[in-house]
Amino acid sequence: MGLTIGVPKEVFPNEKRVATVPEVVEKLKKLGFAIAVESGAGVGADVSDEMFAAAGATVQPNAAALWSASDIVFKVRPPTMDEAALMKDGQTLISFIWPAQNPELMQALAAKKVNVLAMDCLPRMLSRAQKMDALTSMAGISGYRAVIEAANVFGRFFNGQITAAGKVPPAKIFIAGAGVAGLAAIGTAASMGAIVRANDTRAEVADQVKSLGGEFVKVDYAEEGSGGGGYAKVMSEGFQQAQREMYAQQAREVDIIITTALIPGKPAPKLITAEMVQSMKPGSVIVDMAAEQGGNCELTEPGKAVVKHGVTIVGYTDLASRLAKQSSTLYGTNLFRLTEELCKTKDGVINVNMEDDAIRGLTVIKDGAVTWPAPPPKLPPAPEPKPAAAPVAAKKAHGHGASSEPMATQTLVIMFAVAAGLFWFIGANAPAAFLGHFTVFVLACFVGYMVVWNVTPSLHTPLMSVTNAISSIIVIGALVQIAPPAVPGISRPDELIRWIALVGIGLTAVNMFGGFAVTRRMLAMFRK
């Protein structure tokens, strides 16, 4: 058996999450690790010691025994100073750390000569790092829970209703910040029937807001707000003034405000002033998801729900913990995916590879040396721009000075002339009975070509499904040729025509059954 992964009980007040769950324990054991869990670690997430033991984990009686028996420690919250004192040389800690906010903790951990991997320092711009992105996992849960908390204290339905007792208008919700948490809140609120508005300094998220059923509210000021790692940057004073005016207007109009704005390493920006709170309608709600970093609202009290000026301001700092079972499962899975990257040999031994951009970004302390902040990851080079096409007029063809555009026109004229001559020849020499069929054939080819040509390529697959109706007509015509009805004066078709009709049925059957299969797959995409 390889190294031992220890999971202590979280000591942060009201923290119910646990860093792993039984189903993840089984996967970690397959990588060669032994698992130890402190007794009672999973109680808040509805996971008993017996469930951990059944999955193959060893249950330790207390924190001291757990930390002593572990080579690697999985945690959710940053360790306290007392927990840091329990660490031993060479041990590895994987947890949320927040190095910028906890300099004393960083010094204490470095003095222990340990390895520390901070889940909050993952380079989120790396696509392969998404499976380890615990920040995104927790933000999605927090955004969902923020809407639930707002609904809990809001005095009306979210969706509009018309009842025998009267009409109930839908709730209006404004969400400040359309990151992962904001988008989760938008989707949840919209699914509950509320009118959802959202704003973000990053213009590129507008389409995401609309796709979830929200309305993107723009700030009347031109400035790009994208920052590094999927976060927003600090905006100019002019933009902030225009933004405050927009927030003041929304505060007067909406029933619920949910704020999610955070800037890494800095206090949460103040978006909702006391005057805005006072302007809101009595019974309105503000859910400040940035409360732990000081809050986006001036009147937020972290960890509490308070009523000021008739507005309930929810400043809970444990939104993800209020869905402890779900968040523990997702966080445990993120840690498992990270462990896979650290133990590619599946022998229960980890390798903190500082040449790996994702691992290097996570590693804030290596063998007692502080390695935070990490250098920017090496992103793949941008594709070279294609050389600009030379002006058409500058292109000469064979020294005659003619451009490519006139040549294309001449070719088109020649093709039409040849086709017209061919049609004239057929019309002058073919039997009269043939001309009617030939005319229908030519028109069908032309109409079919124009229809398919004008359909965007993304709709060609649904178009294949529609052609089943045309295919059925072809099959009926072919069947008539194989076994025509007995009509006096009309001879039966010869064997060549009958064999051609048989081949036509076979080819058409492929198209028909393929079309039905495509239709079934398309419809399955829309079923829940």
Side-chain angles (χ1 to χ4, degrees):
M1 185 64 70
L3 301 177
T4 297
I5 296 175
V7 181
K9 183 177 181 179
E10 298 295 325
V11 298
F12 191 86
N14 299 322
E15 181 56 71
K16 299 178 180 179
R17 290 174 291 178
V18 62
T20 195
V21 291
E23 48 265 40
V24 175
V25 168
E26 296 174 356
K27 297 177 182 178
L28 290 170
K29 289 180 67 67
K30 292 180 181 179
L31 293 179
F33 295 96
I35 313 298
V37 180
E38 183 183 349
S39 179
V43 172
D46 299 324
V47 182
S48 65
D49 293 347
E50 291 75 18
M51 295 171 68
F52 276 123
T58 301
V59 179
Q60 296 290 346
N62 52 53
L66 186 281
W67 286 83
S68 176
S70 304
D71 302 298
I72 305 166
V73 177
F74 284 178
K75 270 186 60 58
V76 180
R77 292 275 185 171
T80 63
M81 287 299 182
D82 292 338
E83 288 177 316
L86 296 174
M87 295 196 71
K88 57 188 180 182
D89 290 355
Q91 209 167 27
T92 299
L93 171 66
I94 304 177
S95 174
F96 284 109
I97 299 295
W98 307 108
Q101 289 89 345
N102 298 298
E104 295 85 1
L105 175 63
M106 290 287 288
Q107 293 177 4
L109 292 172
K112 286 289 186 176
K113 299 187 182 303
V114 297
N115 300 315
V116 179
L117 278 66
M119 296 301 291
D120 48 278
C121 293
L122 179 74
R124 303 171 77 184
M125 69 287 294
L126 300 176
S127 58
R128 71 180 188 86
Q130 293 178 0
K131 62 184 179 181
M132 303 177 277
D133 190 358
L135 280 175
T136 294
S137 300
M138 298 302 102
I141 293 174
S142 297
Y144 170 86
R145 185 68 189 195
V147 177
I148 302 303
E149 294 295 341
N152 183 49
V153 295
F154 186 56
R156 297 206 323 263
F157 296 131
F158 268 23
N159 62 322
Q161 295 187 15
I162 299 177
T163 69
K167 181 179 179 182
V168 179
K172 295 180 181 179
I173 300 178
F174 177 71
I175 297 173
V180 175
L183 291 174
I186 292 168
T188 304
S191 67
M192 295 174 69
I195 297 174
V196 185
R197 304 169 184 171
N199 168 261
D200 197 282
T201 57
R202 298 161 294 181
E204 65 268 19
V205 304
D207 289 338
Q208 300 176 35
V209 171
K210 294 176 183 177
S211 69
L212 291 171
E215 174 191 351
F216 188 78
V217 182
K218 293 182 179 179
V219 176
D220 190 15
Y221 194 95
E223 183 176 351
E224 175 54 41
S226 296
Y231 293 97
K233 69 176 185 180
V234 178
M235 307 300 288
S236 67
E237 180 57 35
F239 181 92
Q240 293 182 34
Q241 178 60 34
Q243 188 182 53
R244 282 192 290 269
E245 294 174 359
M246 182 270 291
Y247 284 156
Q249 179 183 352
Q250 294 299 321
R252 293 190 295 268
E253 296 179 2
V254 302
D255 304 298
I256 298 170
I257 296 177
I258 299 175
T259 64
T260 70
L262 283 173
I263 298 174
K266 297 185 179 182
K270 299 300 181 185
L271 305 179
I272 308 299
T273 64
E275 291 77 12
M276 295 180 193
V277 175
Q278 196 168 1
S279 71
M280 296 182 71
K281 292 174 284 188
S284 298
V285 180
I286 296 175
V287 180
D288 193 340
M289 296 184 61
E292 193 166 2
Q293 303 301 325
N296 296 136
C297 177
E298 288 183 349
L299 303 181
T300 296
E301 295 185 18
K304 299 179 181 178
V306 296
V307 179
K308 297 185 179 181
H309 305 296
V311 177
T312 302
I313 303 173
V314 179
Y316 297 147
T317 58
D318 59 346
L319 290 173
S321 182
R322 289 170 179 255
L323 288 170
K325 189 174 183 64
Q326 182 67 74
S327 54
S328 297
T329 301
L330 294 182
Y331 184 63
T333 302
N334 293 141
L335 291 178
F336 167 69
R337 295 303 181 189
L338 172 58
T339 309
E340 282 185 319
E341 294 295 317
L342 294 171
C343 181
K344 294 183 178 180
T345 55
K346 299 184 179 181
D347 57 356
V349 178
I350 64 171
N351 174 30
V352 183
N353 181 14
M354 300 296 275
E355 299 299 321
D356 186 312
D357 284 339
I359 304 302
R360 174 64 188 89
L362 284 166
T363 307
V364 296
I365 297 177
K366 180 72 164 66
D367 297 328
V370 177
T371 59
W372 177 85
K378 302 171 186 176
L379 297 177
E384 296 182 1
K386 296 181 180 180
V392 175
K395 294 183 179 180
K396 304 296 180 180
H398 304 293
H400 294 291
S403 66
S404 61
E405 185 175 355
M407 286 297 296
T409 304
Q410 293 174 8
T411 303
L412 188 62
V413 171
I414 293 173
M415 290 177 60
F416 270 103
V418 172
L422 180 62
F423 290 160
W424 174 83
F425 177 78
I426 294 175
N429 297 279
F434 174 78
L435 289 179
H437 295 294
F438 183 70
T439 302
V440 173
F441 172 76
V442 171
L443 291 176
C445 290
F446 178 77
V447 172
Y449 172 79
M450 294 304 296
V451 168
V452 175
W453 181 263
N454 288 301
V455 172
T456 180
S458 61
L459 295 179
H460 282 175
T461 301
L463 187 65
M464 178 181 176
S465 173
V466 178
T467 59
N468 283 333
I470 302 175
S471 299
S472 62
I473 297 174
I474 298 173
V475 170
I476 293 174
L479 289 174
V480 171
Q481 294 298 323
I482 292 176
V487 179
I490 298 180
S491 61
R492 299 176 62 84
D494 55 29
E495 288 298 318
L496 177 60
I497 294 177
R498 298 177 69 178
W499 280 107
I500 292 175
L502 183 62
V503 172
I505 290 176
L507 295 176
T508 306
V510 173
N511 185 45
M512 290 178 63
F513 286 107
F516 285 125
V518 170
T519 303
R520 183 173 182 178
R521 292 185 63 181
M522 285 194 304
L523 293 177
M525 293 170 60
F526 299 95
R527 294 194 184 103
K528 294 184 179 180

